[in-house]
Amino acid sequence: MIYFDNAATTKPADSVVKAVCSCMEENFGNPSSLHTLGLRAQQIMDGARKKIADALGAAPETVYFTSGATESSNLAIRGAAGTYGRRKKRVITTTVEHSSVKEAFARLESEGFEVIRISPGENGEFNPQDFIDAADENTCLVSMMLVNNETGAVLPVKKAFSGIKRKNSEIVTHCDAVQAFMKINVKPDDLKADMISMSAHKIYGPKGVGALYVRKGIRLLKQNLGGKQENGMRGGTEAVPLIAGFGEAVSRLSGNMPERMEKLEELRKYFLEKAEKTDSIQVNSAATAVPYIINISLKGIRSEIVLHFLEESEIYISSGSACSKGAKSGVLGEFGISPALEDSALRISFTHENTKEETDEFFAALEAAEKRLRR
Ligand code: PLP
């Protein structure tokens, strides 16, 4: 099997599976219970929280566990709008966000907020000044992803957020860092982000658990109503085993980021050299994109057909445009990719454990796909 779909999800690491299982078998207590079993569960969560906080260069009390990045971004956006948007009705985002952010803003719009959606320029790059110009005295929130999940484009979050904060320090900033966390540097203080969404299953952790970093002093209107868990920020018994797995996933990736990145850069270079030698392939990702997400089009053949052909050889990739029940997200078009190329877009997403040999096999299978499908 060749798994080139790591931006969709990653295979949980063995040590993660162990951490989850041993927590379920040995530490099933409810962290809110006052007895020893509860205390042990609480300690497991504290340990995981500290690992995530350390990776962010932040204090443990700023990390809140959720059911995944979708919930994190919902809490961040709707929670901040609920607190700071009573009088200030302008909110700013981009046109290339994941549906979890996009839909949260659409809901705010239907509730009377003025949503400003910033697009990339003709070169496919965002201009930080566009965000700064859009932020006025009536603005309460700005949300911008760090790495785009379809193309790997890196957005100028730090420049936009620091410019906005200089203009009006009261504007709350949120960053969806799902495709960046534990891969490139994600530090709230560097990015000038007040809130950061993360997900465990993109970094060899379990599905159904994520976290939201919330800077001290930022007040969010609680969205998951219930008990006082997560310091009153989110009701509901915490998924302790999944949280234990999240902590382990972060811990095993801490400390070797430069080495992993070097491997990925090399793999991307190798992949692109091969792609460029193939006339029928168009590379859609920018040269400045992260090395672990590459969007290409096999011109003239619909993505889904290629995807299923490759699947027969146990090669797994995604169609390059995130689809929901057949409807394209439109994100590739925002990056200047033509509708024809969008229809044939494929997303290849690596981890540092993928190899050049797998890349060779992928291109051989793609060639076979072309031969069969163009007949
Ligand atoms: N944001 C981005 C950029 C993503 O790629 C994803 C997952 O694909 C999410 C948010 C949602 O994460 P989760 O599956 O943890 O809800």
Side-chain angles (χ1 to χ4, degrees):
M1 173 173 92
I2 297 179
Y3 189 71
F4 279 172
D5 201 14
N6 292 283
T9 197
T10 48
K11 181 176 187 284
D14 291 348
S15 63
V16 167
V17 176
K18 258 192 211 133
V20 173
C21 291
S22 88
C23 181
M24 291 185 90
E25 284 162 3
E26 293 155 31
N27 288 299
F28 64 87
N30 185 325
S32 297
S33 296
L34 296 177
H35 47 66
T36 326
L37 291 183
L39 182 67
R40 258 194 255 150
Q42 182 65 50
Q43 284 166 341
I44 290 174
M45 285 208 312
D46 290 347
R49 204 184 305 275
K50 168 112 180 42
K51 285 171 186 162
I52 294 160
D54 286 350
L56 294 167
E61 318 82 78
T62 60
V63 175
Y64 297 87
F65 288 114
T66 64
S67 63
T70 297
E71 189 194 326
S72 299
S73 293
N74 271 262
L75 171 58
I77 295 162
R78 295 189 54 72
T83 311
Y84 301 101
R86 297 224 173 91
R87 276 180 295 278
K88 297 179 177 181
K89 290 292 181 194
R90 176 178 277 208
V91 288
I92 301 170
T93 185
T94 81
T95 52
V96 302
E97 297 296 318
H98 183 265
S99 50
S100 50
V101 168
K102 205 184 246 178
E103 285 203 20
F105 276 96
R107 179 65 69 84
L108 291 185
E109 198 163 41
S110 75
E111 291 168 355
F113 281 83
E114 179 199 12
V115 180
I116 308 289
R117 297 179 176 86
I118 310 276
S119 299
E122 274 179 19
N123 58 359
E125 288 188 13
F126 281 91
N127 180 356
Q129 194 60 41
D130 290 346
F131 293 84
I132 301 166
D133 291 344
D136 62 7
E137 66 288 348
N138 195 34
T139 304
C140 64
L141 170 71
V142 182
S143 176
M144 185 179 185
M145 70 192 336
L146 185 51
V147 171
N148 183 266
N149 48 304
E150 294 184 43
T151 63
V154 183
L155 278 70
V157 173
K158 180 178 177 158
K159 282 191 179 153
F161 284 2
S162 36
I164 287 168
K165 287 284 185 188
R166 268 198 303 275
K167 196 170 170 188
N168 180 353
S169 62
E170 285 180 9
I171 296 175
V172 177
T173 54
H174 166 251
C175 177
D176 171 351
V178 169
Q179 299 290 353
F181 182 58
M182 299 314 291
K183 295 170 184 172
I184 61 174
N185 253 325
V186 176
K187 304 265 193 256
D189 288 352
D190 279 0
L191 294 173
K192 300 284 180 266
D194 294 321
M195 300 182 284
I196 294 184
S197 299
M198 295 154 275
S199 181
H201 73 99
K202 311 289 185 179
I203 55 165
Y204 309 92
K207 289 161 192 56
V209 63
L212 180 66
Y213 160 84
V214 184
R215 188 177 296 284
K216 269 184 209 157
I218 298 287
R219 290 170 292 112
L220 301 179
L221 184 66
K222 188 172 175 179
Q223 301 295 308
N224 230 35
L225 303 179
K228 298 258 183 295
Q229 290 92 346
E230 294 301 288
N231 213 8
M233 188 77 96
R234 177 196 189 256
T237 303
E238 299 89 340
V240 186
L242 303 183
I243 290 170
F246 191 6
E248 171 55 26
V250 168
S251 169
R252 67 183 282 283
L253 291 179
S254 296
N256 64 351
M257 192 132 70
E259 291 81 358
R260 282 188 284 122
M261 208 54 178
E262 206 175 298
K263 272 191 171 172
L264 286 163
E265 294 279 7
E266 217 175 281
L267 195 56
R268 172 188 160 95
K269 189 163 170 270
Y270 188 76
F271 185 97
L272 290 182
E273 275 166 13
K274 294 201 114 184
E276 274 148 23
K277 278 187 206 142
T278 316
D279 289 340
S280 51
I281 292 179
Q282 168 81 36
V283 176
N284 299 322
S285 292
T288 50
V290 290
Y292 47 88
I293 300 178
I294 306 180
N295 195 301
I296 62 170
S297 291
L298 188 57
K299 291 179 217 163
I301 308 181
R302 283 173 57 86
S303 338
E304 289 77 3
I305 299 173
V306 181
L307 196 142
H308 293 306
F309 182 91
L310 294 177
E311 195 183 3
E312 286 171 22
S313 317
E314 287 193 57
I315 298 176
Y316 300 99
I317 60 167
S318 266
S319 85
S321 181
C323 291
S324 172
K325 293 192 178 145
K328 301 247 183 305
S329 71
V331 164
L332 292 185
E334 285 295 319
F335 280 111
I337 289 148
S338 71
L341 287 175
E342 190 174 353
D343 276 345
S344 57
L346 305 169
R347 180 184 69 183
I348 290 88
S349 48
F350 301 129
T351 72
H352 63 284
E353 285 165 1
N354 287 125
T355 62
K356 289 182 180 170
E357 290 69 33
E358 287 178 322
T359 302
D360 289 339
E361 266 188 63
F362 170 78
F363 276 95
L366 213 54
E367 204 179 313
E370 252 204 291
K371 272 195 194 130
R372 166 107 77 87
L373 300 172
R374 283 204 205 279
R375 266 206 313 231

mmCIF file of all heavy atoms in Angstrom, residues 211-247:
data_model
loop_
_atom_site.group_PDB
_atom_site.id
_atom_site.type_symbol
_atom_site.label_atom_id
_atom_site.label_comp_id
_atom_site.label_asym_id
_atom_site.label_seq_id
_atom_site.Cartn_x
_atom_site.Cartn_y
_atom_site.Cartn_z
ATOM 1 N N ALA A 211 -7.619 20.493 19.776
ATOM 2 C CA ALA A 211 -7.409 21.465 20.841
ATOM 3 C C ALA A 211 -7.578 22.869 20.282
ATOM 4 O O ALA A 211 -7.437 23.090 19.076
ATOM 5 C CB ALA A 211 -6.014 21.303 21.450
ATOM 6 N N LEU A 212 -7.906 23.766 21.190
ATOM 7 C CA LEU A 212 -7.925 25.184 20.840
ATOM 8 C C LEU A 212 -7.023 25.909 21.828
ATOM 9 O O LEU A 212 -7.212 25.788 23.045
ATOM 10 C CB LEU A 212 -9.361 25.747 20.917
ATOM 11 C CG LEU A 212 -9.480 27.243 20.574
ATOM 12 C CD1 LEU A 212 -9.145 27.494 19.099
ATOM 13 C CD2 LEU A 212 -10.867 27.772 20.893
ATOM 14 N N TYR A 213 -6.037 26.618 21.273
ATOM 15 C CA TYR A 213 -5.234 27.508 22.116
ATOM 16 C C TYR A 213 -6.025 28.801 22.265
ATOM 17 O O TYR A 213 -6.525 29.340 21.263
ATOM 18 C CB TYR A 213 -3.871 27.788 21.450
ATOM 19 C CG TYR A 213 -3.211 29.028 22.002
ATOM 20 C CD1 TYR A 213 -2.454 28.981 23.169
ATOM 21 C CD2 TYR A 213 -3.368 30.264 21.376
ATOM 22 C CE1 TYR A 213 -1.878 30.137 23.692
ATOM 23 C CE2 TYR A 213 -2.810 31.420 21.887
ATOM 24 C CZ TYR A 213 -2.059 31.348 23.053
ATOM 25 O OH TYR A 213 -1.499 32.481 23.571
ATOM 26 N N VAL A 214 -6.148 29.277 23.492
ATOM 27 C CA VAL A 214 -6.821 30.564 23.721
ATOM 28 C C VAL A 214 -5.927 31.411 24.625
ATOM 29 O O VAL A 214 -5.648 31.020 25.769
ATOM 30 C CB VAL A 214 -8.206 30.388 24.391
ATOM 31 C CG1 VAL A 214 -8.916 31.728 24.532
ATOM 32 C CG2 VAL A 214 -9.077 29.422 23.596
ATOM 33 N N ARG A 215 -5.473 32.527 24.105
ATOM 34 C CA ARG A 215 -4.604 33.412 24.881
ATOM 35 C C ARG A 215 -5.303 33.842 26.172
ATOM 36 O O ARG A 215 -6.521 34.071 26.168
ATOM 37 C CB ARG A 215 -4.269 34.639 24.025
ATOM 38 C CG ARG A 215 -3.220 35.557 24.630
ATOM 39 C CD ARG A 215 -2.887 36.704 23.686
ATOM 40 N NE ARG A 215 -2.278 36.239 22.442
ATOM 41 C CZ ARG A 215 -1.017 35.839 22.325
ATOM 42 N NH1 ARG A 215 -0.223 35.850 23.376
ATOM 43 N NH2 ARG A 215 -0.552 35.432 21.159
ATOM 44 N N LYS A 216 -4.496 33.939 27.242
ATOM 45 C CA LYS A 216 -5.069 34.374 28.526
ATOM 46 C C LYS A 216 -5.740 35.727 28.358
ATOM 47 O O LYS A 216 -5.181 36.609 27.706
ATOM 48 C CB LYS A 216 -3.948 34.509 29.563
ATOM 49 C CG LYS A 216 -3.725 33.245 30.341
ATOM 50 C CD LYS A 216 -2.671 33.437 31.415
ATOM 51 C CE LYS A 216 -2.002 32.109 31.645
ATOM 52 N NZ LYS A 216 -0.678 32.206 32.213
ATOM 53 N N GLY A 217 -6.912 35.881 28.923
ATOM 54 C CA GLY A 217 -7.609 37.175 28.851
ATOM 55 C C GLY A 217 -8.666 37.207 27.761
ATOM 56 O O GLY A 217 -9.543 38.057 27.781
ATOM 57 N N ILE A 218 -8.580 36.282 26.786
ATOM 58 C CA ILE A 218 -9.610 36.229 25.731
ATOM 59 C C ILE A 218 -10.824 35.483 26.297
ATOM 60 O O ILE A 218 -10.682 34.386 26.838
ATOM 61 C CB ILE A 218 -9.086 35.494 24.465
ATOM 62 C CG1 ILE A 218 -7.898 36.237 23.856
ATOM 63 C CG2 ILE A 218 -10.200 35.263 23.446
ATOM 64 C CD1 ILE A 218 -8.232 37.527 23.155
ATOM 65 N N ARG A 219 -11.983 36.088 26.173
ATOM 66 C CA ARG A 219 -13.197 35.474 26.721
ATOM 67 C C ARG A 219 -14.079 34.993 25.574
ATOM 68 O O ARG A 219 -14.346 35.751 24.637
ATOM 69 C CB ARG A 219 -13.971 36.496 27.567
ATOM 70 C CG ARG A 219 -13.266 36.840 28.880
ATOM 71 C CD ARG A 219 -13.918 38.017 29.587
ATOM 72 N NE ARG A 219 -13.728 39.256 28.834
ATOM 73 C CZ ARG A 219 -14.693 39.923 28.223
ATOM 74 N NH1 ARG A 219 -15.935 39.485 28.245
ATOM 75 N NH2 ARG A 219 -14.442 41.043 27.560
ATOM 76 N N LEU A 220 -14.462 33.730 25.633
ATOM 77 C CA LEU A 220 -15.295 33.172 24.563
ATOM 78 C C LEU A 220 -16.654 32.807 25.123
ATOM 79 O O LEU A 220 -16.755 32.313 26.250
ATOM 80 C CB LEU A 220 -14.632 31.918 23.972
ATOM 81 C CG LEU A 220 -13.241 32.114 23.372
ATOM 82 C CD1 LEU A 220 -12.703 30.788 22.855
ATOM 83 C CD2 LEU A 220 -13.265 33.146 22.253
ATOM 84 N N LEU A 221 -17.676 33.023 24.303
ATOM 85 C CA LEU A 221 -19.009 32.578 24.704
ATOM 86 C C LEU A 221 -19.040 31.067 24.513
ATOM 87 O O LEU A 221 -18.840 30.559 23.407
ATOM 88 C CB LEU A 221 -20.077 33.261 23.832
ATOM 89 C CG LEU A 221 -21.515 32.950 24.216
ATOM 90 C CD1 LEU A 221 -21.862 33.518 25.591
ATOM 91 C CD2 LEU A 221 -22.473 33.488 23.157
ATOM 92 N N LYS A 222 -19.278 30.356 25.616
ATOM 93 C CA LYS A 222 -19.254 28.892 25.595
ATOM 94 C C LYS A 222 -20.243 28.353 24.557
ATOM 95 O O LYS A 222 -21.361 28.871 24.442
ATOM 96 C CB LYS A 222 -19.640 28.429 26.996
ATOM 97 C CG LYS A 222 -19.504 26.973 27.268
ATOM 98 C CD LYS A 222 -19.753 26.778 28.768
ATOM 99 C CE LYS A 222 -19.771 25.333 29.152
ATOM 100 N NZ LYS A 222 -19.982 25.169 30.592
ATOM 101 N N GLN A 223 -19.820 27.357 23.786
ATOM 102 C CA GLN A 223 -20.689 26.808 22.742
ATOM 103 C C GLN A 223 -21.265 25.455 23.146
ATOM 104 O O GLN A 223 -22.400 25.147 22.853
ATOM 105 C CB GLN A 223 -19.909 26.674 21.423
ATOM 106 C CG GLN A 223 -19.342 27.992 20.921
ATOM 107 C CD GLN A 223 -20.426 28.996 20.552
ATOM 108 O OE1 GLN A 223 -21.324 28.680 19.787
ATOM 109 N NE2 GLN A 223 -20.357 30.200 21.107
ATOM 110 N N ASN A 224 -20.436 24.606 23.763
ATOM 111 C CA ASN A 224 -20.897 23.279 24.203
ATOM 112 C C ASN A 224 -21.423 23.436 25.625
ATOM 113 O O ASN A 224 -20.647 23.399 26.580
ATOM 114 C CB ASN A 224 -19.707 22.310 24.194
ATOM 115 C CG ASN A 224 -20.021 21.042 23.466
ATOM 116 O OD1 ASN A 224 -20.749 21.064 22.476
ATOM 117 N ND2 ASN A 224 -19.477 19.929 23.933
ATOM 118 N N LEU A 225 -22.722 23.636 25.758
ATOM 119 C CA LEU A 225 -23.258 23.947 27.083
ATOM 120 C C LEU A 225 -23.368 22.683 27.925
ATOM 121 O O LEU A 225 -23.744 21.629 27.425
ATOM 122 C CB LEU A 225 -24.619 24.628 26.938
ATOM 123 C CG LEU A 225 -24.600 25.906 26.087
ATOM 124 C CD1 LEU A 225 -25.990 26.500 25.963
ATOM 125 C CD2 LEU A 225 -23.644 26.935 26.662
ATOM 126 N N GLY A 226 -23.004 22.795 29.180
ATOM 127 C CA GLY A 226 -23.037 21.623 30.058
ATOM 128 C C GLY A 226 -22.236 21.898 31.308
ATOM 129 O O GLY A 226 -22.356 22.980 31.894
ATOM 130 N N GLY A 227 -21.397 20.911 31.675
ATOM 131 C CA GLY A 227 -20.623 21.025 32.908
ATOM 132 C C GLY A 227 -19.494 22.046 32.820
ATOM 133 O O GLY A 227 -19.350 22.768 31.825
ATOM 134 N N LYS A 228 -18.679 22.036 33.878
ATOM 135 C CA LYS A 228 -17.627 23.057 34.003
ATOM 136 C C LYS A 228 -16.268 22.557 33.486
ATOM 137 O O LYS A 228 -15.220 23.116 33.820
ATOM 138 C CB LYS A 228 -17.470 23.451 35.478
ATOM 139 C CG LYS A 228 -18.704 24.061 36.106
ATOM 140 C CD LYS A 228 -18.555 25.579 36.190
ATOM 141 C CE LYS A 228 -19.740 26.239 36.870
ATOM 142 N NZ LYS A 228 -21.007 26.099 36.123
ATOM 143 N N GLN A 229 -16.308 21.482 32.695
ATOM 144 C CA GLN A 229 -15.040 20.925 32.225
ATOM 145 C C GLN A 229 -14.245 21.967 31.418
ATOM 146 O O GLN A 229 -14.804 22.948 30.951
ATOM 147 C CB GLN A 229 -15.292 19.700 31.327
ATOM 148 C CG GLN A 229 -15.809 18.484 32.074
ATOM 149 C CD GLN A 229 -17.311 18.409 32.111
ATOM 150 O OE1 GLN A 229 -18.011 19.362 31.805
ATOM 151 N NE2 GLN A 229 -17.833 17.261 32.503
ATOM 152 N N GLU A 230 -12.982 21.676 31.226
ATOM 153 C CA GLU A 230 -12.084 22.567 30.460
ATOM 154 C C GLU A 230 -12.207 24.014 30.969
ATOM 155 O O GLU A 230 -12.380 24.955 30.178
ATOM 156 C CB GLU A 230 -12.351 22.475 28.958
ATOM 157 C CG GLU A 230 -12.011 21.119 28.356
ATOM 158 C CD GLU A 230 -10.553 20.736 28.560
ATOM 159 O OE1 GLU A 230 -9.665 21.323 27.915
ATOM 160 O OE2 GLU A 230 -10.293 19.836 29.388
ATOM 161 N N ASN A 231 -12.097 24.115 32.278
ATOM 162 C CA ASN A 231 -12.115 25.424 32.924
ATOM 163 C C ASN A 231 -13.368 26.228 32.569
ATOM 164 O O ASN A 231 -13.321 27.455 32.435
ATOM 165 C CB ASN A 231 -10.850 26.197 32.520
ATOM 166 C CG ASN A 231 -10.380 27.100 33.632
ATOM 167 O OD1 ASN A 231 -10.913 27.038 34.756
ATOM 168 N ND2 ASN A 231 -9.420 27.949 33.333
ATOM 169 N N GLY A 232 -14.460 25.515 32.352
ATOM 170 C CA GLY A 232 -15.723 26.191 32.043
ATOM 171 C C GLY A 232 -15.876 26.580 30.581
ATOM 172 O O GLY A 232 -16.881 27.164 30.193
ATOM 173 N N MET A 233 -14.908 26.232 29.759
ATOM 174 C CA MET A 233 -14.945 26.653 28.351
ATOM 175 C C MET A 233 -15.774 25.689 27.497
ATOM 176 O O MET A 233 -16.316 26.061 26.474
ATOM 177 C CB MET A 233 -13.505 26.683 27.815
ATOM 178 C CG MET A 233 -13.360 27.277 26.443
ATOM 179 S SD MET A 233 -13.458 29.059 26.463
ATOM 180 C CE MET A 233 -11.716 29.493 26.512
ATOM 181 N N ARG A 234 -15.828 24.419 27.915
ATOM 182 C CA ARG A 234 -16.511 23.415 27.084
ATOM 183 C C ARG A 234 -17.109 22.328 27.975
ATOM 184 O O ARG A 234 -16.364 21.586 28.630
ATOM 185 C CB ARG A 234 -15.490 22.788 26.130
ATOM 186 C CG ARG A 234 -16.085 21.692 25.269
ATOM 187 C CD ARG A 234 -15.016 20.849 24.647
ATOM 188 N NE ARG A 234 -15.557 19.952 23.671
ATOM 189 C CZ ARG A 234 -15.729 18.643 23.878
ATOM 190 N NH1 ARG A 234 -15.414 18.093 25.036
ATOM 191 N NH2 ARG A 234 -16.213 17.894 22.915
ATOM 192 N N GLY A 235 -18.427 22.223 27.958
ATOM 193 C CA GLY A 235 -19.076 21.190 28.759
ATOM 194 C C GLY A 235 -18.908 19.819 28.128
ATOM 195 O O GLY A 235 -18.730 19.703 26.911
ATOM 196 N N GLY A 236 -18.955 18.779 28.946
ATOM 197 C CA GLY A 236 -18.855 17.404 28.442
ATOM 198 C C GLY A 236 -17.628 16.704 28.990
ATOM 199 O O GLY A 236 -16.549 17.305 29.066
ATOM 200 N N THR A 237 -17.804 15.431 29.369
ATOM 201 C CA THR A 237 -16.671 14.657 29.893
ATOM 202 C C THR A 237 -15.597 14.554 28.821
ATOM 203 O O THR A 237 -15.879 14.223 27.673
ATOM 204 C CB THR A 237 -17.159 13.245 30.292
ATOM 205 O OG1 THR A 237 -18.204 13.398 31.234
ATOM 206 C CG2 THR A 237 -16.018 12.418 30.889
ATOM 207 N N GLU A 238 -14.386 14.850 29.179
ATOM 208 C CA GLU A 238 -13.285 14.843 28.221
ATOM 209 C C GLU A 238 -12.985 13.427 27.732
ATOM 210 O O GLU A 238 -13.117 12.462 28.489
ATOM 211 C CB GLU A 238 -12.007 15.431 28.861
ATOM 212 C CG GLU A 238 -12.133 16.875 29.315
ATOM 213 C CD GLU A 238 -12.627 17.012 30.749
ATOM 214 O OE1 GLU A 238 -13.228 16.063 31.281
ATOM 215 O OE2 GLU A 238 -12.393 18.081 31.321
ATOM 216 N N ALA A 239 -12.546 13.313 26.466
ATOM 217 C CA ALA A 239 -12.199 12.017 25.868
ATOM 218 C C ALA A 239 -10.777 11.656 26.297
ATOM 219 O O ALA A 239 -9.815 11.773 25.520
ATOM 220 C CB ALA A 239 -12.297 12.113 24.353
ATOM 221 N N VAL A 240 -10.654 11.241 27.560
ATOM 222 C CA VAL A 240 -9.312 11.075 28.147
ATOM 223 C C VAL A 240 -8.396 10.148 27.312
ATOM 224 O O VAL A 240 -7.243 10.504 27.057
ATOM 225 C CB VAL A 240 -9.404 10.604 29.621
ATOM 226 C CG1 VAL A 240 -8.020 10.576 30.265
ATOM 227 C CG2 VAL A 240 -10.329 11.494 30.400
ATOM 228 N N PRO A 241 -8.879 8.979 26.855
ATOM 229 C CA PRO A 241 -7.970 8.121 26.077
ATOM 230 C C PRO A 241 -7.475 8.800 24.792
ATOM 231 O O PRO A 241 -6.302 8.686 24.439
ATOM 232 C CB PRO A 241 -8.830 6.896 25.744
ATOM 233 C CG PRO A 241 -9.937 6.900 26.748
ATOM 234 C CD PRO A 241 -10.194 8.334 27.059
ATOM 235 N N LEU A 242 -8.369 9.512 24.124
ATOM 236 C CA LEU A 242 -7.963 10.195 22.886
ATOM 237 C C LEU A 242 -6.997 11.332 23.195
ATOM 238 O O LEU A 242 -6.044 11.585 22.453
ATOM 239 C CB LEU A 242 -9.194 10.738 22.152
ATOM 240 C CG LEU A 242 -10.279 9.730 21.776
ATOM 241 C CD1 LEU A 242 -11.392 10.409 20.992
ATOM 242 C CD2 LEU A 242 -9.704 8.573 20.963
ATOM 243 N N ILE A 243 -7.234 11.989 24.309
ATOM 244 C CA ILE A 243 -6.350 13.074 24.729
ATOM 245 C C ILE A 243 -4.958 12.507 25.051
ATOM 246 O O ILE A 243 -3.931 13.086 24.692
ATOM 247 C CB ILE A 243 -6.963 13.833 25.936
ATOM 248 C CG1 ILE A 243 -8.189 14.625 25.444
ATOM 249 C CG2 ILE A 243 -5.948 14.738 26.615
ATOM 250 C CD1 ILE A 243 -9.054 15.226 26.541
ATOM 251 N N ALA A 244 -4.945 11.331 25.706
ATOM 252 C CA ALA A 244 -3.649 10.677 25.993
ATOM 253 C C ALA A 244 -2.923 10.392 24.682
ATOM 254 O O ALA A 244 -1.704 10.611 24.559
ATOM 255 C CB ALA A 244 -3.890 9.380 26.763
ATOM 256 N N GLY A 245 -3.661 9.925 23.675
ATOM 257 C CA GLY A 245 -3.067 9.648 22.364
ATOM 258 C C GLY A 245 -2.583 10.916 21.679
ATOM 259 O O GLY A 245 -1.522 10.919 21.041
ATOM 260 N N PHE A 246 -3.321 11.987 21.821
ATOM 261 C CA PHE A 246 -2.925 13.284 21.243
ATOM 262 C C PHE A 246 -1.591 13.730 21.853
ATOM 263 O O PHE A 246 -0.659 14.136 21.146
ATOM 264 C CB PHE A 246 -4.053 14.292 21.526
ATOM 265 C CG PHE A 246 -3.968 15.610 20.803
ATOM 266 C CD1 PHE A 246 -2.995 15.870 19.834
ATOM 267 C CD2 PHE A 246 -4.902 16.622 21.078
ATOM 268 C CE1 PHE A 246 -2.951 17.100 19.166
ATOM 269 C CE2 PHE A 246 -4.860 17.843 20.415
ATOM 270 C CZ PHE A 246 -3.880 18.086 19.474
ATOM 271 N N GLY A 247 -1.520 13.608 23.180
ATOM 272 C CA GLY A 247 -0.281 13.990 23.870
ATOM 273 C C GLY A 247 0.908 13.187 23.361
ATOM 274 O O GLY A 247 1.981 13.730 23.091
#
